Amino acid sequence: MNSSHPDNIQISTMGIIGIRSGSKGVKDKNIKMLNGKPLVGWIIEKALKSKYINRLIISTDSENYKKIAEDFGAEVPCLRPHDYADDNSPEIDYVTHMLAYLKEVENYEPDIVVRMMATVPLQTTDDIDQCISKLIQSSDLDSVVVIAEARQHPLKALKIIKDKKNNERLVTYFSDSGREVTPIARQNYDKAYYRSNVIACKKSVIDKTKSLTGDNVSYYIIPQERAIDIDNPIDFQIVENLVEK
């Protein structure tokens, strides 16, 4: 992990990874072993090799998770309060909690905050650095988000509703029309993308907008296979197969 940026640009960049202990879809997902390594270890190792990140911070509510993260070389300055670690806690809360703690205890304030997640283990150091580099190079941008093309287009989503007779029927997610349930060729849609869970944002933007992205958001696109976000046991099996190959 380098202490200065390429081209002698003096910018303080803090990476932060949130790993709360209350995962429901996969128990202890953030530390579940993947090819002999705890899941969080994958993103920690990639982030520590970044050309830009000066400090890598872990936000967790678990002493066990804290030890694992520290063993991989990340910092855990304090434990996350339980109020910021339940299923409904917005991500911005644990980020601003850590920023406030570091400001109060160390008088430390980064210029850029890079939020990453343990659940996307196949991302590369270059994915992270390309995202940060793009933000550094433009004074107009608030943030840059790593994205990948959606595996299923959102306009193909369906929902079940009840009609006036209280009978259930299937309609498109974006209207109450059953006719639009008919499949439409993917080529007729504009491409759709999802976040791939790296967000580089200026700290001043977080202070001003109380969000991790602000208003002027750019992007860096990665392949779908590097963007798999583990949310359930099937996702975990897919990633295990990709790692083995």
Side-chain angles (χ1 to χ4, degrees):
M1 185 164 53
N2 299 323
S3 59
S4 61
H5 292 121
D7 304 320
N8 296 318
I9 300 173
Q10 298 301 314
I11 297 175
S12 175
T13 301
M14 183 188 87
I16 184 167
I17 303 166
I19 50 169
R20 69 183 185 90
S21 60
S23 173
K24 298 290 194 302
V26 179
K27 181 176 174 54
D28 283 325
K29 173 174 60 179
N30 288 310
I31 60 169
K32 184 176 172 64
M33 299 301 288
L34 173 64
N35 199 30
K37 186 188 307 178
L39 193 59
V40 69
W42 288 76
I43 191 66
I44 289 176
E45 288 183 345
K46 305 295 175 52
L48 287 175
K49 294 176 182 177
S50 169
K51 296 183 293 186
Y52 298 98
I53 294 175
N54 312 122
R55 294 185 71 176
L56 182 60
I57 304 293
I58 301 295
S59 172
T60 182
D61 59 326
S62 164
E63 286 283 359
N64 184 32
Y65 285 23
K66 176 179 183 290
K67 183 180 185 305
I68 291 171
E70 289 175 337
D71 287 345
F72 274 87
E75 296 181 56
V76 189
C78 65
L79 289 182
R80 188 193 309 184
H82 293 298
D83 290 347
Y84 299 153
D86 63 30
D87 290 341
N88 300 314
S89 299
E91 284 191 330
I92 187 66
D93 286 354
Y94 80 73
V95 175
T96 54
H97 163 261
M98 185 61 72
L99 287 170
Y101 176 88
L102 293 172
K103 170 64 176 174
E104 179 180 353
V105 175
E106 302 181 17
N107 197 31
Y108 168 76
E109 288 187 280
D111 300 303
I112 292 174
V113 175
V114 185
R115 192 280 271 145
M116 295 162 284
M117 294 181 68
T119 54
V120 191
L122 300 184
Q123 287 181 322
T124 67
T125 299
D126 189 60
D127 295 339
I128 298 168
D129 281 352
Q130 291 285 353
C131 184
I132 301 169
S133 176
K134 196 167 186 177
L135 181 62
I136 291 172
Q137 292 172 17
S138 174
S139 59
D140 295 331
L141 291 178
D142 289 342
S143 64
V144 178
V145 179
V146 176
I147 61 174
E149 188 176 352
R151 284 181 281 170
Q152 282 285 340
H153 200 285
L155 288 178
K156 291 187 176 183
L158 307 174
K159 64 182 176 181
I160 299 171
I161 65 170
K162 290 188 177 181
D163 61 22
K164 294 179 181 179
K165 295 182 180 180
N166 209 36
N167 295 318
E168 290 185 339
R169 60 189 182 93
L170 189 65
V171 298
T172 176
Y173 194 85
F174 299 97
S175 76
D176 289 342
S177 171
R179 296 182 183 184
E180 294 179 21
V181 172
T182 302
I184 299 174
R186 182 186 182 94
Q187 291 77 11
N188 293 330
Y189 295 127
D190 290 332
K191 284 187 176 182
Y193 300 89
Y194 282 96
R195 290 184 306 273
S196 297
N197 290 323
V198 175
I199 300 174
C201 184
K202 293 172 181 173
K203 200 267 185 179
S204 59
V205 171
I206 296 175
D207 293 338
K208 180 180 178 181
T209 67
K210 308 304 179 188
S211 80
L212 289 172
T213 50
D215 299 310
N216 192 1
V217 184
S218 189
Y219 61 89
Y220 177 72
I221 302 173
I222 66 172
Q224 289 177 336
E225 61 268 21
R226 292 213 302 270
I228 297 173
D229 189 348
I230 297 175
D231 191 48
N232 55 53
I234 294 175
D235 294 334
F236 211 98
Q237 290 175 12
I238 292 171
V239 172
E240 283 182 323
N241 290 335
L242 288 173
V243 169
E244 289 173 2
K245 292 179 181 179

